[in-house]
């Protein structure tokens, strides 16, 4: 019997949730995805020392404020790391737009185009790049415009059906509904309750979104994300894509128990209504969903904080020269 990671690869496209070259080499995923937190971790690894120096030099050679130079350096580093990753995976790498732009549609579009241009300057086929954007109303509007421009998007920090429906209406290429962070919220709200995979609200959310998409013929790819344990992953085996941390990839690799599909595109059922999503209906639905509102805001704040730390790392006035 093959291990569960190999079995999972037969059911879902496995994506590495890491910027580590060594981890990607170890697990041979189809795609890889990054975010500011993962880039910050990657920038401290010896294997990326050269890319860090290139990014610093790139930022400093441009005119403008120090903030603009650091923004350019951070984008350049994301692209240089993405380029390295693309040499190891056959499909896509996801690169995230600065989370501080999550409520600014047109600046998000502009920054995404800059990332794509930087990839092209590095000789990378931009069709292999997914631009990650937070699932705010403004972020989803930016994704809609980018898709019209021929730039594929991956909408992240997605916690509920209303965000998912808005993404499907906008024709985004991929969504990343979060599992573990949803469970975190419910555990904090109800610490006395016993949470098993059968009543896991994060697992249930992804199942609901997946079935709704398949029942309504949406082409948007569903990529489950933010896992806390391998039981959550097993329960969602069969989802279009699953992005998994190296720690959990290792756990799956160590198990040889049979793995059955938890999701299947055949004859899906969805009881959710499917009217077009408008800005007022989206904002009201988010207002009514405390979990989605709080976790979206928290995720944006945390990614923005790591973006600031990354820029500080790339600031010559704060960073000693790396050997």
């Amino acid at each position: 019997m093959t291990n569960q990671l190999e079995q999972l690869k037969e059911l879902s496209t496995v994506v590495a949730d890491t910027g580590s070259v060594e981890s990607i080499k170890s697990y041979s995923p189809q795609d890889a995805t990054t975010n500011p937190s993962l880039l910050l971790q990657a920038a401290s690894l010896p294997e990326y020392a050269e890319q860090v120096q290139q990014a610093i030099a790139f930022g400093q050679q441009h005119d403008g404020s120090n903030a603009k130079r650091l923004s350019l350096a951070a984008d350049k580093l994301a692209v240089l790391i993405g380029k390295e990753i693309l040499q190891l995976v056959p499909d896509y790498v996801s690169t995230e737009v600065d989370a501080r732009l999550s409520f600014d549609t047109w600046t998000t579009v502009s920054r995404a185009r800059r990332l794509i241009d930087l990839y092209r300057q590095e000789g990378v086929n931009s069709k292999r790049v997914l631009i990650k954007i937070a699932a705010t109303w403004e972020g989803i509007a930016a994704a809609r415009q980018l898709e019209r421009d021929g730039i594929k998007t991956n909408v992240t920090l997605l916690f509920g059906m209303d965000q998912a429906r808005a993404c499907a209406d906008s024709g985004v290429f991929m969504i990343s509904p979060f599992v573990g962070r949803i469970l975190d919220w419910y555990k904090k709200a109800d610490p006395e309750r016993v949470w098993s995979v059968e009543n896991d609200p994060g697992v249930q959310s992804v199942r609901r979104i997946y079935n709704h998409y398949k029942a309504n013929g949406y082409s948007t790819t569903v990529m489950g994300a933010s896992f806390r344990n391998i039981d959550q992953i097993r329960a969602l085996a069969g989802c279009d894509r699953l992005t998994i941390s190296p720690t959990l990839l290792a756990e799956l690799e160590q198990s040889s128990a049979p793995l059955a599909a938890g999701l299947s595109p055949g004859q899906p059922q969805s009881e959710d209504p499917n009217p077009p999503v408008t800005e007022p209906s989206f904002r009201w639905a988010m207002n009514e969903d405390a979990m989605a509102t709080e976790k979206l805001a928290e995720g944006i704040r945390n990614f923005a904080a790591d973006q600031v730390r990354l820029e500080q790392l790339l600031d010559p006035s704060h960073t000693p020269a790396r050997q």
Side-chain angles (χ1 to χ4, degrees), residues 120-161:
R120 288 171 177 159
Q121 291 169 26
E122 291 294 324
V124 173
N125 180 355
S126 60
K127 298 298 183 184
R128 298 184 64 201
V129 178
L130 305 183
I131 298 296
K132 284 179 77 175
I133 302 170
T136 59
W137 178 258
E138 295 82 0
I140 296 168
R144 181 190 304 116
Q145 181 59 52
L146 290 167
E147 294 286 352
R148 289 172 179 170
D149 293 344
I151 297 172
K152 291 186 174 72
T153 58
N154 173 3
V155 178
T156 187
L157 294 175
L158 193 147
F159 299 97
M161 178 60 73

Side-chain angles (χ1 to χ4, degrees), residues 1 9 72 78 90 107 130 222 235 247 250 268 299:
M1 176 73 69
K9 289 179 179 179
L72 281 163
T107 307
L130 305 183
V222 179
T247 300

Side-chain angles (χ1 to χ4, degrees), residues 14 24 28-32 85-93 128:
V14 172
I24 294 168
S28 302
Q30 197 76 7
D31 304 351
I85 290 171
L86 284 172
Q87 296 178 37
L88 302 172
V89 300
D91 282 352
Y92 304 104
V93 67
R128 298 184 64 201

